[in-house]
Amino acid sequence: MTVLRVSDAPTGEDVLIALSDVSKSYRRGGQIVPVLSKLTFDIRRKEFLALMGPSGSGKSTLLNLIAGIDSPDHGSIEVGGEDITLLPEADLADWRAANVGFIFQFYNLMPVLTALENVELPLTLTSLGRRDRRDRAQLALSLVGLSDRVKHLPSELSGGQQQRVAIARAIVTDPTMLVADEPTGDLDRQSAEEVLEIMQRLNRDLGKTIVMVTHDRRAAARARRIMHLEKGDLSYLVEQRLE
Amino acid sequence: MPLLLAYSLRNLYVRKLTNLLTATGMALVVFVYAAVLMLDSGLKQTLVATGEDTNVIFVRRSAEVEIQSLIDRRQARIIESQPEVVIGAEGAPLVSKESAVLISRPRRGGKQASNVLVRGVGPAALAVRPQVRLAEGRMFRPGSNEIVIGRALAGRFEDVEIGSSLRFAHREWKIVGRFDAGGSGFDSEIWGDSEQLMQSFRRDFFSSVTVRLADRSSFDTLKARLEADPRLTIEAKRERIFYEEQSRLLSGFIQMLGITLSVMFSLGAVIGATITMYAAVASRMMEVGVLRALGFRRSRILVAFLVEALLLALVGWVVGLSFASLMMQVKISTLNWTSLSELAFRFVLTPEIVLRSLVFALVMGFLGGFLPAVRAARMKIVDALRVA
Ligand SMILES: Nc1ncnc2c1ncn2[C@@H]1O[C@H](COP(=O)(O)OP(=O)(O)O)[C@@H](O)[C@H]1O
Ligand SMILES: [Mg+2]
């Protein structure tokens, strides 16, 4: 295991996400709370990156910036050569629909929709017809091993099953990258292993770039690279390569 | 069904108790709004049906209603001899020279009295007004003390029924028949022989003269000629217009009352809908955050919540209008402030009312849903997602 500074991160053609000089602070009760300061690093295509660090160090904030659901105060975030911080809001929404799949700690499925409908939901933003949408959603559910649960509501599924539905929803549009914020944080060991197994397969077999925030060392061990977000005066990144 | 619509519908169903209460509030307003419009359209329909387009009524100039009008016998003769008047089967012109007088009669059940219009009519009255048919008993005999009563009077006033007698103008009048005037204003009148009635009321002039035209388009020439005649101080109107104008005062009042009530009530319903929709938004912050993260634009979120509010209003509309349509069974009788006589009419539901109440309900839904929908659409994704 080697620990090195972020500046040694890979460069070149296989870079998918390039952050440079990214800063983000929040305003809380008239006070400005700096969270991220001048972060510069790259994430390669087909990478499986685990983002670790103590609570409150800004892991979720960083993930949200990469996923285009929050915007930095300074700096640029290039994804596939396109600086998403420059996109107008509506275009950014379209960009997310096409490029990002989300996996949340608490699954965040629509309670009134069935498993199949939840997976179909992002496809309603595409030009696909109803039949194609159904077929695709079905396929995505079979990839996570839930073909027999399509008609179930989230409340009728276990936590692990719900998270698998969420993964199906994240991959159904075939996005370039998946972002996952503590995807196993709410699961028992067994379910967590299943979910991680699926994510690893998505990365290995389908070449999905995955950025995963996690507390869990066991979860992080599934990744190909780990970055630690440490909180000193300012947060900084430490990289750990796994052999 | 589009997935997002199913999503909205099912969410409405999930909070069904709250939503049912909200929709009930809207239904109440729709009911009041539709009922008032139905009342107004019933009034208008009754008075419009009273007049015919082929008939012309002559009254004294500037007399708005017949009881204010005087036409003497010489003037009446000039009017009936005009060439535009159609000649009936018996060779006489179709003209009814009429006297209109109000009498006060106690209403059945209550002690209150109300005015009933007694119309003295000429022998050709039924031929001039084909919508009036004898329904029961027989017509009064000319030159007698007999009278016939309109359908809407029966049962509404003391002693106004076939076989009984009414005492007014120093005489006993025997009721021998009941006529059906097809839901028009005549249904609220008493008819008798005009000469007999004028004698006993001690007057020697008519109130109005109604003639039937051979050709309805000859109205303008007839009107122009007679109104210019220096011997006559009369005004000619199409009969339909004349009676329609009698609805104005009451109709204006009903509409104002209706609009005031509806606006006041709808304020409550809109506030109710706003509170309900705010609660719906608050309970689904996470879902809004997820939808936005998945790539749904702000406008889609706005529309989704607006649609939900509109669906709520649609339920309110269906319920409110259904109850309002039951009002069609209800007959109402009140004083017409223009003619000062009692007039019976029904609640009438027209396609226009169906449409207007729908628009009204949807506007309520839109107003109620607007602010909550804007809040949902304006939420920052990360803030929405932080709500566990
Ligand atoms: N929307 C926000 N408004 C205000 N402060 C925030 C917001 N989001 C995060 N923070 C603050 O920023 C810091 C980093 O938060 P976060 O990125 O969630 O950390 P982590 O995911 O590593 O636990 C925390 O101190 C948190 O309280
Ligand atoms: Mg976090």
Side-chain angles (χ1 to χ4, degrees):
Chain A
M1 192 173 88
T2 51
V3 176
L4 51 142
R5 299 292 308 196
V6 191
S7 47
D8 296 333
T11 52
E13 275 183 11
D14 61 344
V15 170
L16 176 65
I17 304 163
L19 285 82
S20 73
D21 243 2
V22 170
S23 302
K24 177 73 181 175
S25 54
Y26 286 110
R27 204 176 302 272
R28 199 184 297 143
Q31 245 183 326
I32 292 176
V33 185
V35 181
L36 304 175
S37 184
K38 298 192 183 225
L39 282 185
T40 300
F41 74 101
D42 294 342
I43 298 170
R44 280 166 297 184
R45 233 174 256 281
K46 304 187 179 182
E47 183 158 37
F48 187 169
L49 174 70
L51 207 51
M52 297 190 74
S55 183
S57 59
K59 303 182 296 293
S60 295
T61 301
L62 180 55
L63 194 72
N64 292 343
L65 292 178
I66 293 170
I69 58 173
D70 202 357
S71 53
D73 302 333
H74 302 287
S76 69
I77 301 169
E78 284 185 18
V79 181
E82 185 178 25
D83 187 350
I84 62 169
T85 63
L86 301 178
L87 287 177
E89 189 177 278
D91 294 351
L92 190 59
D94 297 346
W95 177 83
R96 284 194 303 270
N99 295 290
V100 190
F102 287 87
I103 302 164
F104 304 95
Q105 179 174 0
F106 299 105
Y107 337 125
N108 290 6
L109 300 173
M110 304 291 149
V112 298
L113 299 183
T114 64
L116 186 68
E117 288 167 337
N118 264 290
V119 177
E120 191 190 335
L121 194 58
L123 292 176
T124 62
L125 291 170
T126 67
S127 58
L128 285 179
R130 187 190 166 78
R131 169 142 236 123
D132 289 341
R133 292 203 310 257
R134 286 275 146 132
D135 290 348
R136 278 244 214 156
Q138 201 93 46
L139 183 68
L141 277 173
S142 71
L143 273 174
V144 297
L146 284 177
S147 295
D148 55 340
R149 293 286 191 278
V150 290
K151 290 255 163 60
H152 287 59
L153 290 174
S155 57
E156 295 161 352
L157 298 172
S158 73
Q161 288 171 329
Q162 287 187 61
Q163 193 61 300
R164 276 145 69 193
V165 174
I167 293 173
R169 178 178 68 184
I171 59 173
V172 74
T173 54
D174 196 21
T176 343
M177 65 162 136
L178 298 180
V179 295
D181 197 343
E182 314 258 14
T184 57
D186 200 48
L187 298 178
D188 59 72
R189 170 83 57 78
Q190 169 74 23
S191 302
E193 291 299 327
E194 281 170 17
V195 162
L196 290 166
E197 191 68 46
I198 291 170
M199 290 177 68
Q200 212 167 18
R201 229 175 52 220
L202 290 172
N203 171 250
R204 211 176 41 222
D205 303 347
L206 300 178
K208 298 289 170 209
T209 307
I210 299 179
V211 186
M212 174 177 72
V213 166
T214 186
H215 268 112
D216 183 0
R217 290 190 175 283
R218 222 187 291 262
R222 299 276 188 161
R224 298 196 196 181
R225 184 159 71 123
I226 299 175
M227 280 187 163
H228 290 269
L229 199 53
E230 302 290 352
K231 203 170 160 61
D233 275 349
L234 300 166
S235 295
Y236 60 96
L237 280 166
V238 178
E239 185 180 340
Q240 173 182 2
R241 283 225 176 92
L242 300 169
E243 305 311 329
Chain B
M1 193 184 344
L3 196 51
L4 220 51
L5 185 62
Y7 171 75
S8 288
L9 275 174
R10 284 182 217 167
N11 274 307
L12 280 176
Y13 184 74
V14 166
R15 303 166 61 84
K16 50 186 170 298
L17 190 63
T18 317
N19 287 327
L20 213 61
L21 280 173
T22 310
T24 305
M26 292 190 171
L28 189 76
V29 181
V30 169
F31 173 80
V32 170
Y33 182 73
V36 169
L37 289 181
M38 285 165 70
L39 198 63
D40 187 46
S41 83
L43 170 71
K44 281 190 180 133
Q45 219 173 70
T46 295
L47 284 167
V48 168
T50 308
E52 294 235 334
D53 254 349
T54 38
N55 287 354
V56 184
I57 183 167
F58 295 90
V59 291
R60 186 198 184 95
R61 204 166 292 159
S62 84
E64 265 182 48
V65 290
E66 291 169 275
I67 52 167
Q68 299 170 340
S69 163
L70 308 173
I71 294 182
D72 66 33
R73 291 180 181 276
R74 192 177 58 102
Q75 292 175 322
R77 269 195 301 277
I78 298 173
I79 294 168
E80 72 184 330
S81 62
Q82 297 301 312
E84 285 87 355
V85 179
V86 76
I87 305 297
E90 285 108 48
L94 290 192
V95 172
S96 186
K97 295 181 280 190
E98 304 186 339
S99 63
V101 181
L102 294 177
I103 61 166
S104 180
R105 296 298 305 173
R107 290 203 211 205
R108 171 162 294 177
K111 296 192 176 53
Q112 264 195 337
S114 190
N115 289 336
V116 178
L117 190 133
V118 178
R119 181 183 296 276
V121 299
L126 289 182
V128 172
R129 302 203 175 88
Q131 82 267 37
V132 181
R133 292 178 304 101
L134 199 68
E136 199 186 339
R138 57 177 177 80
M139 197 58 184
F140 62 84
R141 276 194 309 266
S144 74
N145 275 7
E146 292 173 351
I147 51 175
V148 290
I149 55 170
R151 170 177 75 160
L153 287 181
R156 204 171 285 278
F157 287 90
E158 285 295 340
D159 296 328
V160 179
E161 53 202 78
I162 296 178
S164 64
S165 290
L166 295 181
R167 185 167 180 82
F168 58 87
H170 320 293
R171 280 206 219 173
E172 291 282 338
W173 302 86
K174 192 164 170 44
I175 302 173
V176 297
R178 187 164 56 82
F179 61 87
D180 179 344
S184 70
F186 296 130
D187 273 328
S188 299
E189 296 180 355
I190 293 173
W191 285 13
D193 180 277
S194 64
E195 291 300 333
Q196 292 300 311
L197 284 162
M198 281 160 66
Q199 246 178 51
S200 56
F201 280 111
R202 300 188 210 299
R203 15 190 285 177
D204 198 32
F205 45 79
F206 300 105
S207 306
S208 66
V209 176
T210 301
V211 307
R212 196 163 180 80
L213 297 176
D215 172 7
R216 62 160 66 185
S217 61
S218 60
F219 169 75
D220 291 329
T221 34
L222 178 64
K223 176 184 170 75
R225 187 167 63 248
L226 289 188
E227 287 185 352
D229 192 322
R231 295 168 297 173
L232 304 171
T233 48
I234 52 130
E235 194 176 350
K237 278 189 180 160
R238 284 199 195 270
E239 196 187 25
R240 190 176 54 76
I241 305 287
F242 180 81
Y243 285 108
E244 194 178 341
E245 282 173 359
Q246 293 196 353
S247 71
R248 279 197 193 151
L249 215 55
L250 193 53
S251 166
F253 171 75
I254 291 175
Q255 283 190 12
M256 218 181 55
L257 184 77
I259 287 169
T260 310
L261 279 180
S262 303
V263 166
M264 266 164 41
F265 285 14
S266 67
L267 222 64
V270 166
I271 290 172
T274 305
I275 291 170
T276 300
M277 289 308 298
Y278 266 133
V281 170
S283 72
R284 303 218 303 271
M285 299 256 272
M286 174 278 277
E287 296 174 42
V288 171
V290 171
L291 286 171
R292 294 282 311 286
L294 292 180
F296 287 84
R297 295 183 179 189
R298 285 185 196 276
S299 52
R300 289 287 285 261
I301 305 294
L302 186 85
V303 168
F305 279 99
L306 272 182
V307 162
E308 237 174 274
L310 291 177
L311 287 172
L312 212 53
L314 210 60
V315 173
W317 173 71
V318 169
V319 174
L321 196 66
S322 304
F323 276 100
S325 71
L326 296 180
M327 295 294 287
M328 282 196 285
Q329 307 305 317
V330 178
K331 229 196 288 182
I332 201 164
S333 172
T334 188
L335 193 73
N336 183 358
W337 299 336
T338 312
S339 68
L340 294 177
S341 62
E342 189 84 1
L343 183 71
F345 51 98
R346 289 177 172 283
F347 288 81
V348 173
L349 185 61
T350 63
E352 195 203 333
I353 294 173
V354 173
L355 210 69
R356 277 178 69 177
S357 60
L358 174 62
V359 171
F360 185 66
L362 291 181
V363 167
M364 278 196 294
F366 183 85
L367 291 179
F370 187 71
L371 289 180
V374 166
R375 172 186 280 186
R378 289 181 56 150
M379 245 181 315
K380 285 182 63 183
I381 303 174
V382 283
D383 291 341
L385 284 173
R386 280 168 76 90
V387 181

